[in-house]
Amino acid sequence: MITVWGEGRGFRVVWLLEEMGLAYRLRPVDLLAGVEHDAAFLALNPAGFIPAIQDGDVTMVESIAIMEYLMARYGPTPLAPNPRDPAFPAYQQFLHLGEAGLAASIYFVVGARNFAPETERRNWSAGQALEVFESRLGLVTRQLARSRYLAGEAFTAADISVTYALELARRAGGVTLGETEQAYVARTSAREAYQRAMETCQGTKAWAAKADAQ
Ligand SMILES: N[C@@H](CCC(=O)N[C@@H](CS)C(=O)NCC(=O)O)C(=O)O
């Protein structure tokens, strides 16, 4: 049985597990309550960030690396095109751009907007992080003008990676998505596996409902 520790970007992992039909359980980690109070989690990941997984003897962190591990270990799966498939380069690029380009930058905008002292909310680094996010978002927009999903006509794990980042940006980063991205997120989040993942991730579900009501 695979254990996923923590929601946040752990939502990507849970969504992937649902898409692949693999058995798992979610172990919540409450970052807001203070990870220092969660000795079991710190024993697993002393760096204190989520998500982490345990799969038998395997312990891993980093949501994209975890997804790549699960698809390689329990695939093959159409969520990860074969390296010889013409869809592979775009798949690989957007799988990583979803975290390195989009989520990693908007995460700090979210922090500044929602958690920083009032005088720090529009600091220079938050502004730079937003510029980085927006420039990478342009690549997503351009790709979606060419194809239904980021690696072509078929849904892949790259769409899980990027959808997570776009929803984070829209719900907590003050970003207004364009029509193309809105239609894309409506498409990816309508998937049954996404809906099941949302039911598993009750913290994410509550956060999303609150953000969408505002
Ligand atoms: N690149 C990592 C980012 C992990 C990350 O920053 N997670 C956030 C929550 S989604 C977190 O744990 N933040 C608290 C911290 O970094 O101490 C991934 O994709 O898993």
Side-chain angles (χ1 to χ4, degrees):
M1 173 73 85
I2 297 161
T3 303
V4 181
W5 294 67
E7 297 185 27
R9 285 153 166 105
F11 182 80
R12 285 180 174 139
V13 176
V14 171
W15 184 2
L16 180 94
L17 288 162
E18 289 287 354
E19 293 279 357
M20 293 182 73
L22 296 171
Y24 68 94
R25 73 180 188 105
L26 174 70
R27 163 45 163 92
V29 176
D30 190 344
L31 290 183
L32 294 178
V35 78
E36 65 276 13
H37 304 301
D38 193 338
F41 179 63
L42 283 182
L44 198 71
N45 179 15
F49 64 86
I50 57 172
I53 63 156
Q54 278 179 301
D55 180 20
D57 294 341
V58 173
T59 298
M60 279 185 77
V61 296
E62 288 293 339
S63 61
I64 306 302
I66 292 169
M67 291 202 295
E68 291 189 303
Y69 161 76
L70 292 170
M71 292 185 289
R73 174 76 180 74
Y74 296 105
T77 163
L79 296 169
N82 186 284
R84 293 176 197 279
D85 188 320
F88 183 76
Y91 159 75
Q92 188 72 6
Q93 176 188 293
F94 283 104
L95 177 69
H96 287 275
L97 185 136
E99 177 56 26
L102 294 174
S105 52
I106 206 65
Y107 182 73
F108 290 103
V109 178
V110 170
R113 283 174 57 89
N114 298 284
F115 300 108
E118 194 61 48
T119 52
E120 296 289 325
R121 293 198 169 182
R122 293 178 183 275
N123 71 48
W124 189 87
S125 294
Q128 188 192 27
L130 184 59
E131 279 176 23
V132 168
F133 174 87
E134 285 173 342
S135 74
R136 276 56 167 181
L137 180 61
L139 296 181
V140 171
T141 309
R142 187 175 69 156
Q143 186 73 355
L144 291 175
R146 298 170 174 159
S147 58
R148 186 168 169 78
Y149 294 106
L150 291 170
E153 294 311 301
F155 177 88
T156 68
D159 299 298
I160 295 178
S161 173
V162 169
T163 296
Y164 171 79
L166 298 188
E167 292 206 307
L168 177 64
R170 179 176 68 77
R171 291 191 169 122
V175 171
T176 303
L177 299 177
E179 278 180 27
T180 305
E181 296 85 33
Q182 284 182 35
Y184 166 71
V185 170
R187 209 155 50 237
T188 54
S189 62
R191 295 176 69 82
E192 287 180 6
Y194 175 101
Q195 305 292 337
R196 289 196 298 272
M198 208 40 119
E199 286 308 312
T200 299
C201 296
Q202 286 293 314
T204 301
K205 187 179 178 185
W207 165 77
K210 194 172 164 193
D212 291 350
Q214 279 170 0

